[in-house]
Amino acid sequence: QLGCGNDRAIGDGDLVVQGASQGELYLSRDSTPANSGGGLGFIHFTGDNGEDSASIRVYSDGGTWTNGSSHPSSMRFETTADGASSPTERMRIDSSGNVGIGLTNISGSGSLTLVAGQSYKFAGSGGNTIYGDISADTSHNITFKNNNGTERMRFTSAGVVTVKNSSVGDIDALT
């Protein structure tokens, strides 16, 4: 138990940081990171056995680290799958703001990158209602699906655009 700047009751395992306008928690190294990939701070979530179940890790990320003026960093989120005993990186935000889900090598400018076979879902504000999704497969096809998972359009790696219509069948719109 540790309370900083507060007068409320705290329970076992609680860390409460409270300030006049907001609470802030700093994790700091005692030296400049040696190179890209040098750890800056980690938060680990464990069970009573002390083994990591999930973590958030921040590293220096390319570029030139200059105290006071340039601090490129990446943030990595790790979780443990059912039946596994250690966390795996699931998402990364690099120093350019690119987001990668399910992979560790992110490319592109301002991109959201998913592993082939995963999809980008469009959901309502609560996340419970799915309105549709876009996915790509390892053959470089991009598919668009409606809210019940039915494919409605496909861009193939050959440049063919196919529109799926249950009443008239598939229509190759462009070839």
Side-chain angles (χ1 to χ4, degrees), residues 118-174:
Q118 293 183 335
S119 62
Y120 182 80
K121 297 190 182 305
F122 298 90
S125 60
N128 297 326
T129 304
I130 303 298
Y131 295 110
D133 70 56
I134 300 172
S135 62
D137 61 29
T138 56
S139 298
H140 308 285
N141 300 307
I142 300 171
T143 59
F144 296 80
K145 298 179 181 176
N146 66 6
N147 64 329
N148 66 8
T150 302
E151 183 178 320
R152 292 299 182 195
M153 185 168 57
R154 173 181 296 255
F155 291 91
T156 70
S157 60
V160 176
V161 178
T162 302
V163 177
K164 308 281 186 171
N165 184 318
S166 58
S167 61
V168 297
D170 293 354
I171 303 167
D172 286 341
L174 301 171

Side-chain angles (χ1 to χ4, degrees), residues 27-42 57-74 76:
L27 301 176
S28 179
R29 289 178 56 110
D30 63 357
S31 63
T32 301
N35 54 24
S36 181
L40 296 174
F42 305 152
R57 299 172 184 254
V58 178
Y59 295 88
S60 60
D61 187 37
T64 302
W65 186 282
T66 306
N67 282 335
S69 65
S70 178
H71 307 125
S73 58
S74 67
R76 304 169 191 185

Side-chain angles (χ1 to χ4, degrees), residues 97-111:
N98 298 316
V99 177
I101 299 175
L103 56 117
T104 58
N105 186 13
I106 308 168
S107 62
S109 176
S111 69

Side-chain angles (χ1 to χ4, degrees), residues 77-92:
F77 297 84
E78 302 174 344
T79 62
T80 303
D82 187 22
S85 61
S86 61
T88 300
E89 184 175 330
R90 307 297 185 182
M91 183 174 77
R92 179 182 297 197

